[in-house]
Amino acid sequence: MRVVHSGGDHLLVLNDAEAGSVAEACALMVLAVKSDGRLSMPPVMNRVLCDLFEGLRVASPALPGFGQDV
């Protein structure tokens, strides 16, 4: 993984395995919050995680245990 910072922008460069792990982590965090009413997440954070998951799952290999409905 490489991270480049420039002004207010941040660029992440991930290989396929890293992208798959980050996508899976995003999905797990969102699902954990949705499955337990005691947990909450700011709407902006939820949107960022969902967008990141969507963006990474297209380019990374299929994640075991995760289908299109996640």
Side-chain angles (χ1 to χ4, degrees), residues 40-51:
S40 66
M41 179 184 313
V44 171
M45 184 183 297
N46 186 65
R47 185 73 257 149
V48 168
L49 289 173
C50 289
D51 288 348

Side-chain angles (χ1 to χ4, degrees), residues 3-11:
V3 181
V4 177
H5 305 277
S6 175
D9 295 326
H10 309 276
L11 174 66

Side-chain angles (χ1 to χ4, degrees), residues 6-46:
S6 175
D9 295 326
H10 309 276
L11 174 66
L12 299 174
V13 179
L14 306 170
N15 65 30
D16 284 342
E18 292 165 337
S21 293
V22 170
E24 189 171 324
C26 290
L28 289 172
M29 284 189 281
V30 171
L31 290 173
V33 169
K34 288 184 179 186
S35 69
D36 189 336
R38 298 170 296 171
L39 302 175
S40 66
M41 179 184 313
V44 171
M45 184 183 297
N46 186 65

